[in-house]
Amino acid sequence: MSSKVTNIVVAGLGGQGVLKGTGILADVALRAGYDVKKSEIKGMSQRGGSVTGDVRFGKEVFSPMVPNGEADFLLVLEPTQVEPNRHLLRPGGVLITPEAINTDTLPHKRTLNVALLGALSAHLPMPEDQWLESLRAGFEETFFEGNKKAFLIGRKSSQARQAS
Amino acid sequence: MKNGKLLSGDEAIALAAWDAGVALGAGYPGTPSTEILESFSELGGHAQWSPNEKVALEVTIGAAFAGARALATMKHVGLNVASDPLFTSAYTGVDAALVVVSADDPGMASSQNEQDNRRYAVAAGVPMLEPSDSQEAYDFTLAAIEISERWKIPVLLRVTTRVCHSYTVVHPGGSKGAPKAASFARDIKGRVMIPAYARLAHRKLRQKLAEMQEWNESCQLNRVVPGSEKLGIITSGISFMHVREAVPEASVLKLGFTHPLPMKQIIQFAKSVKRCLVIEEGDPYLVEAIRAQGVWVEGKPDMYRFGELDVPRVRRILDNDVSPEPTKPAGKPPQLCDACQYRIVFESLRKRDCIVAGDIGCYTLGVLQPFEAIDSCVCMGASIGVGLGMRHVLPSDQARRVVSVIGDSTFVHSGISGLVEMVYNPPPNGHVLIILDNATTAMTGHQEHPGTGRSLNHEPTNKLVLEDLVRAVGVKRVHVVEPRMGSEEFDRVLTECLNSDELAVIIARRPCILIVKQLKQYEQRGQNCECDPKGANVEQGN
Ligand SMILES: Cc1ncc(C[n+]2csc(CCOP(=O)(O)OP(=O)(O)O)c2C)c(N)n1
């Protein structure tokens, strides 16, 4: 395991499932045996304002916050939130937005956060079944099939992009 | 990382309280402290929302007097409200553990100020612990219980937003000794603070603090991370994490037990390194205390007193870089929900060109566009007193336009005494108070309060009926109105009240649209239960 910490920021608007997304991400990293920290600013998130959540994992993580300009991955659920958060990304870091996937194919609009996690997952070392385990544990059982489908749509489109 | 759980700092405090057999947790909601009692309740603990922080602390003092372990939780400004019992409970001491959690909010993610409550530990003379992550939040809660019972004194557990709301790995380690059973032991001299006994108690308190300081010199809650002799950093709380990341080569004195400070250890550390720097968020608490000992340590430039610290800021402090920081692009600000009934109220206030003494809650968003219909917001409950003060001194054409606006939870928290003031010292042209009753404490995530008729875990309990209370205090003109889109009723009632030159209270009642579904469930639960059925009903205006 390299000593480098992986930094991920998820951004969107209140109600889009940003914090659910960082929860799944942190859980899968924990299952994979990493030290993990997840940080979020809640406050008025329910009133439709901007929300961001940070997840960092590696051998040992100190600060729970991703420093400006050091995010390896920036996941944005809402196009208007790209510019306000772009400064978080390091040079050469990967931006993942809803454009990465064909959102029409999603089982439900609400699964966008999970589909983007799928797109992210193609860049990360955790195996697919660990992700699915976290998805199963993180939501009510009835949502699992829909989430699995959305996750795999995201994951495949990202893999296809990397291959091309 | 095997067997570790990913917990927030708040959840870790709750788990430790549960593991240590805390018999009663009481508090008032406030970001970032709210989830402590919610998690404690979910674990099976006895947790209660009090009307405000002062009452919460008093309830836990009573429990601790009676020999049961107790936990009081609040946000930083909540401790202002609870400071009266805090200061004197330091004198009386406690029989079983009393842990008082103060959750500070440097950077004001969701607060009206960024006061640094480490000052309270000094002012009240209580011991203080400051965890840096969730593991420490767990461990230090257990340590606080131990210290509290060893010295028979309330302990302040001071956390900050990034500790409360960050999730880090926790290995729960079990309890520190089983709690004894609650039982009353009379101690009149120790607990009845008439001057004659309080004089003795103050001396005893100073004696305890001196002993704790000595004990703290070799306490495991502080530790040194060995490193370079060229650079030493003294730090505490979340700043420790930023420091370890920004300068892994530095030697670090990490303080966990931060009042009374282990001064000998600090001085020894400061002298052992060439450059000694104190890195702390907020006030220069550590720097001032260390310099007062005649030891020179570097502090941070004043610009870093504002807001949170993070890794880049710690790097800048190390470089003594005072150049302007890059500004962060503004995100989308929060706003009143599209279907929020408060919109109707604020439109009406704007239309009547009211001077609005506001309060704190979701409705404070009425200050933003398109309403811009709030003219002051100081602290919870202040709307009533501030509005009355304006009414007393303004020329009557202006005074007649002054309105106080307060939420239901805030009214119960600290508006009731303002209402009594209104009746006792009425302004010449009367006054208009609007209570926005959305049947919840929405701002902090929809907690119950005495006016909802449900307790912390949403089970029915006795209900405080606001209009009955208002009438009982002596207000004659009381209106209960349901603000509805397309209805002129609210506006009409407001105009009537403004023109009446009397004392008037308008209760604008309609449940928050975000909890309509939950309310239905609670109602059903209430109907299946033997308790006072009134407790579960949500009154929708009348
Ligand atoms: C002394 C103090 N305690 C707690 C808080 C946190 N807080 C701010 S507003 C609020 C209550 C809001 O409830 P309510 O008045 O019912 O208004 P709503 O948000 O439902 O509109 C709380 C708990 C605070 N700012 N100050």
Side-chain angles (χ1 to χ4, degrees), chain B residues 252-493:
Chain B
V252 180
L253 173 59
K254 183 209 182 291
L255 297 170
F257 188 167
T258 47
H259 184 258
L261 286 164
M263 270 307 168
K264 284 185 217 151
Q265 197 186 358
I266 291 173
I267 293 169
Q268 193 188 17
F269 177 83
K271 290 192 168 152
S272 72
V273 290
K274 256 206 187 112
R275 179 186 178 201
C276 187
L277 188 68
V278 174
I279 295 196
E280 59 187 322
E281 216 164 45
D283 286 2
Y285 163 70
L286 293 172
V287 169
E288 284 176 4
I290 299 167
R291 286 185 190 160
Q293 300 291 314
V295 175
W296 178 254
V297 284
E298 256 178 78
K300 58 180 193 267
D302 211 43
M303 63 187 281
Y304 302 107
R305 183 180 185 146
F306 307 97
E308 293 186 287
L309 294 186
D310 56 18
V311 173
R313 292 188 105 195
V314 167
R315 291 191 187 120
R316 290 171 63 101
I317 293 170
L318 283 156
D319 296 342
N320 205 12
D321 182 352
V322 292
S323 66
E325 294 177 89
T327 48
K328 290 184 187 157
K332 181 171 174 284
Q335 56 184 18
L336 289 175
C337 299
D338 286 342
C340 178
Q341 67 271 24
Y342 297 165
R343 288 180 170 263
I344 293 149
V345 173
F346 287 118
E347 269 159 26
S348 185
L349 289 167
R350 181 83 278 191
K351 195 158 94 187
R352 309 273 149 231
D353 195 21
C354 289
I355 298 168
V356 179
D359 225 296
I360 309 191
C362 267
Y363 50 96
T364 316
L365 293 169
V367 70
L368 301 178
Q369 280 175 351
F371 312 105
E372 297 185 325
I374 292 185
D375 295 292
S376 73
C377 166
V378 182
C379 65
M380 284 185 74
S383 58
I384 306 182
V386 169
L388 290 169
M390 289 186 188
R391 282 251 182 186
H392 281 300
V393 300
L394 284 173
S396 64
D397 62 315
Q398 291 183 30
R400 283 201 169 93
R401 288 188 281 129
V402 177
V403 171
S404 295
V405 175
I406 192 167
D408 50 345
S409 186
T410 304
F411 175 70
V412 178
H413 177 278
S414 47
I416 298 171
S417 30
L419 181 71
V420 173
E421 164 72 8
M422 172 167 132
V423 173
Y424 183 53
N425 292 310
N429 296 109
H431 187 47
V432 177
L433 167 64
I434 301 173
I435 303 176
L436 298 170
D437 181 2
N438 59 354
T440 187
T441 314
M443 167 97 176
T444 42
H446 300 105
Q447 288 75 32
E448 305 291 354
H449 63 73
T452 69
R454 287 178 302 275
S455 48
L456 183 141
N457 59 6
H458 311 292
E459 293 299 328
T461 179
N462 299 312
K463 174 171 179 161
L464 176 70
V465 180
L466 300 186
E467 52 274 37
D468 293 356
L469 173 81
V470 172
R471 287 194 187 102
V473 167
V475 179
K476 305 229 162 42
R477 189 180 266 279
V478 182
H479 300 273
V480 180
V481 186
E482 182 183 354
R484 281 185 311 252
M485 301 280 177
S487 156
E488 296 295 310
E489 192 189 1
F490 180 83
D491 193 56
R492 189 175 39 83
V493 171

Side-chain angles (χ1 to χ4, degrees), chain A residues 17-41:
Chain A
V18 169
L19 303 182
K20 193 76 206 177
T22 55
I24 299 293
L25 192 47
D27 183 66
V28 73
L30 185 70
R31 283 170 196 267
Y34 293 102
D35 185 20
V36 188
K37 289 192 177 173
K38 171 172 93 108
S39 183
E40 59 196 34
I41 288 293

